Amino acid sequence: ETGVTQTPRHLVMGMTNKKSLKCEQHLGHNAMYWYKQSAKKPLELMFVYNFKEQTENNSVPSRFSPECPNSSHLFLHLHTLQPEDSALYLCASSQDPSGIGEQYFGPGTRLTVT
Amino acid sequence: AQTVTQSQPEMSVQEAETVTLSCTYDTSESDYYLFWYKQPPSRQMILVIRQEAYKQQNATENRFSVNFQKAAKSFSLKISDSQLGDAAMYFCAYRTAETSGSRLTFGEGTQLTVNP
């Protein structure tokens, strides 16, 4: 248990559905991240939020829409996804985005797009 | 842009033996951080060990140690006295030391099997 929780753990959705992934950290951290983990590929950073402000968008398609209402919560809103978006989506947090503080990861949401 | 390469997709080791996982990286920066993360079947990724590039001394954490060769841009992980619970996917990661940098760049991972 790393102090970062994600819900749901598994999600199956059709290409026309709208769903949201939720991440919550109980560590008092100031930075939060979304990563995509596909089979046989390195983890891909999607978004970075520092103090609720988005500081990085790694050329992510607009069908993925992040939201960070406060430093403890991070959402990833999904709409009109494609089958190739099926992957494990990991959330992470760190104390200070500029320090050496490690990133703490959640257990991930396994997303399947049908 | 920085890249991280793990050339061993899979490794196996006998319980109680020692195994070394390889990682190389490419960067033009002189100051940065390197990490090894472990992702067991439960999928929760946890930090195993980290190294600050300006420190010459290799980091150690109990049975885990690294061999950091800055000139060669190599950062291998050695697991001593391997245990069944060490079985997992291991990821090497790089992070700049610049104050504005928080991005972790990961390698493709090495799947470690521990045989009883």
Side-chain angles (χ1 to χ4, degrees):
Chain A
E1 186 63 45
T2 62
V4 181
T5 58
Q6 289 186 244
T7 54
R9 293 293 301 271
H10 301 270
L11 178 63
V12 179
M13 61 185 289
M15 289 189 284
T16 59
N17 291 159
K18 290 185 180 181
K19 297 286 185 183
S20 296
L21 310 185
K22 179 182 176 182
C23 175
E24 184 174 1
Q25 56 97 358
H26 312 275
L27 303 167
H29 289 169
N30 298 311
M32 297 188 76
Y33 313 77
W34 278 118
Y35 288 89
K36 176 183 179 182
Q37 186 176 18
S38 304
K40 301 188 186 303
K41 292 178 66 176
L43 272 77
E44 302 171 64
L45 179 68
M46 300 175 71
F47 302 102
V48 181
Y49 277 82
N50 297 331
F51 299 96
K52 303 188 298 179
E53 299 297 322
Q54 186 181 122
T55 55
E56 287 200 49
N57 177 336
N58 194 23
S59 302
V60 180
S62 59
R63 58 186 183 268
F64 294 91
S65 175
E67 178 190 1
C68 189
N70 54 62
S71 293
S72 298
H73 294 86
L74 185 65
F75 295 89
L76 188 62
H77 303 300
L78 315 171
H79 63 98
T80 60
L81 293 191
Q82 305 298 312
E84 59 264 30
D85 296 323
S86 298
L88 181 67
Y89 288 85
L90 293 170
C91 173
S93 71
S94 66
Q95 174 62 40
D96 179 347
S98 62
I100 193 178
E102 68 182 270
Q103 292 185 18
Y104 291 77
F105 286 81
T109 295
R110 172 68 65 188
L111 173 67
T112 302
V113 181
T114 60
Chain B
Q2 295 82 21
T3 59
V4 177
T5 302
Q6 293 177 249
S7 59
Q8 306 154 315
E10 298 176 349
M11 290 283 286
S12 63
V13 63
Q14 290 296 124
E15 196 175 3
E17 298 285 302
T18 296
V19 64
T20 298
L21 308 184
S22 301
C23 173
T24 58
Y25 57 94
D26 187 27
T27 184
S28 58
E29 299 177 332
S30 59
D31 198 13
Y32 47 86
Y33 307 116
L34 296 165
F35 305 86
W36 278 98
Y37 278 87
K38 169 186 177 182
Q39 188 179 37
S42 65
R43 303 182 314 201
Q44 194 122 15
M45 186 130 34
I46 56 174
L47 180 69
V48 174
I49 198 166
R50 66 184 174 203
Q51 175 80 41
E52 296 157 33
Y54 64 86
K55 290 187 177 179
Q56 293 184 333
Q57 186 172 7
N58 289 325
T60 62
E61 286 288 341
N62 300 315
R63 298 181 295 106
F64 298 87
S65 62
V66 299
N67 183 3
F68 173 48
Q69 301 290 327
K70 192 172 184 179
K73 296 180 182 175
S74 170
F75 182 60
S76 61
L77 174 70
K78 185 171 83 171
I79 306 174
S80 304
D81 186 25
S82 297
Q83 300 175 359
L84 295 178
D86 295 333
M89 182 73 87
Y90 286 81
F91 293 95
C92 178
Y94 171 102
R95 220 207 80 187
T96 180
E98 292 181 4
T99 55
S100 61
S102 58
R103 166 194 293 255
L104 277 175
T105 300
F106 286 87
E108 294 180 352
T110 296
Q111 181 68 53
L112 178 66
T113 300
V114 180
N115 301 310

